[in-house]
Amino acid sequence: MATRAEYSGGYSSLIIDQFKQRTLATQGAFVLPHLRPGLTVLDCGCGPGSITLDIADLVHPGQVFALDYSTLQIKQARLLQRQRATANVTFITGSAYALPYPDGQFDVVFAHALLYHLRNPVQAVAEFRRVLKPDGIVAFRDACHTGDMMIPDSPELAATWDTISKVFAHHGGNINFGAQHMPLLRDHGFRDITISCSYDMFASATEKDGIRHYWQTFLATDHRDLILEQQWLTKAELARQCAALDAWCAHPAGFFARARCEAIARR
Ligand SMILES: C[S@@+](CC[C@H](N)C(=O)[O-])C[C@H]1O[C@@H](n2cnc3c(N)ncnc32)[C@H](O)[C@@H]1O
């Protein structure tokens, strides 16, 4: 199976700015009971690093190692690290498929919004297990579109999500991957598996506008050529799907609750 890094999420400043809003308190509440001062943590697929730096504050004087395939994301993360003057984090570029760490180094391996982008999550989880100490904790959080609420719903929006799903799948990802945490962890021999779900909320006018821009950039800029070349849509259909996001955003009672599946397990 292919193990090269492919990622449909994109790295425009608009997308990176969205990710920088993420916090451990909001996106990582499920792992909080397992973090304490002195632990050694890996944040795999760390993106621009806002969650990573929150982890570092919590486990200080423990050390956090954070890795992302994208040099751009690591540059952003190091910038944020300087702004926040956080000393106990080391950001590096690298692949989840071949982690540059020795066996048994980490108390906790955390991966937020990474696995559902991967063509080969099995290989990444095998790597997570390898670098965990005996009894170490793995913690994932991934999208599961079947649980999303984009209100008010419409046939046009459903078609928009169908296109998003195709783009993800083309890059090896799966927008419903979150539901597969339990069997994946079982197959790797993890124990004490705890599954939970939560939502990322986009309800204020600013939040709705931000996520509308995010998906419109995804469709009409980052993956426009792919969508047209694959003949998934005509230009007019693509414009209608972007307009459906505008209509959703403009609706005064609208909101988007993005479902995330979470898993904690022990090696
Ligand atoms: C959706 S972003 C999540 C970033 C961060 N965890 C957060 O939640 O803000 C997924 C990240 O995974 C990275 N990524 C994708 N494939 C990867 C791989 N094979 N190895 C390491 N990082 C990868 C991407 O570059 C991207 O920054």
Side-chain angles (χ1 to χ4, degrees):
M1 192 181 287
T3 53
R4 70 198 161 93
E6 310 163 83
Y7 174 60
S8 61
Y11 299 108
S12 70
S13 58
L14 185 124
I15 286 174
I16 289 177
D17 285 349
Q18 278 272 329
F19 289 167
K20 278 189 190 162
Q21 309 302 318
R22 293 177 174 175
T23 67
L24 182 63
T26 305
Q27 271 73 32
F30 72 108
V31 74
L32 281 175
H34 301 277
L35 297 177
R36 62 179 184 279
L39 294 185
T40 305
V41 179
L42 170 64
D43 182 4
C44 191
C46 61
S50 59
I51 302 175
T52 321
L53 294 171
D54 289 349
I55 295 173
D57 290 343
L58 200 59
V59 303
H60 185 271
Q63 292 294 312
V64 178
F65 296 79
L67 169 142
D68 199 285
Y69 174 72
S70 158
T71 49
L72 184 64
Q73 294 282 49
I74 292 301
K75 208 170 141 193
Q76 289 288 331
R78 287 180 180 150
L79 184 66
L80 200 59
Q81 179 180 20
R82 280 197 295 280
Q83 286 165 358
R84 287 178 50 169
T86 307
N88 58 326
V89 185
T90 308
F91 288 105
I92 58 164
T93 49
S95 171
Y97 296 134
L99 294 173
Y101 307 108
D103 296 0
Q105 177 169 347
F106 296 102
D107 297 294
V108 177
V109 173
F110 176 74
H112 184 264
L114 170 71
L115 292 177
Y116 78 103
H117 285 285
L118 300 184
R119 189 177 294 279
N120 193 347
V122 169
Q123 185 171 338
V125 174
E127 276 293 88
F128 295 171
R129 188 175 170 83
R130 180 184 68 74
V131 300
L132 271 175
K133 293 179 182 172
D135 276 349
I137 294 284
V138 75
F140 310 140
R141 188 166 185 261
D142 284 292
C144 187
H145 175 63
T146 50
D148 287 350
M149 286 185 275
M150 201 166 212
I151 307 296
D153 201 0
S154 68
E156 293 79 18
L157 273 183
T160 306
W161 278 100
D162 186 52
T163 308
I164 292 169
S165 174
K166 283 178 176 150
V167 174
F168 262 73
H170 183 86
H171 290 84
N174 174 1
I175 61 168
N176 292 312
F177 177 80
Q180 297 176 26
H181 284 161
M182 175 78 89
L184 184 67
L185 286 162
R186 274 205 188 128
D187 289 352
H188 279 82
F190 283 91
R191 59 196 166 83
D192 301 342
I193 303 170
T194 305
I195 299 293
S196 55
C197 293
S198 62
Y199 285 107
D200 286 347
M201 285 302 299
F202 303 87
S204 72
T206 310
E207 288 164 346
K208 286 168 64 181
D209 200 46
I211 199 70
R212 167 182 67 117
H213 269 296
Y214 177 96
W215 287 120
Q216 286 178 337
T217 303
F218 181 94
L219 291 166
T221 306
D222 291 350
H223 300 294
R224 178 189 165 86
D225 290 348
L226 172 72
I227 290 166
L228 298 178
E229 277 162 24
Q230 295 290 323
Q231 300 185 349
W232 291 331
L233 301 176
T234 64
K235 284 182 189 166
E237 286 165 340
L238 180 57
R240 274 202 294 280
Q241 294 194 358
C242 289
L245 288 164
D246 285 331
W248 164 78
C249 189
H251 197 286
F255 66 90
F256 178 35
R258 188 159 202 222
R260 300 285 190 173
C261 294
E262 303 156 342
I264 297 274
R266 194 173 290 282
R267 193 189 146 169

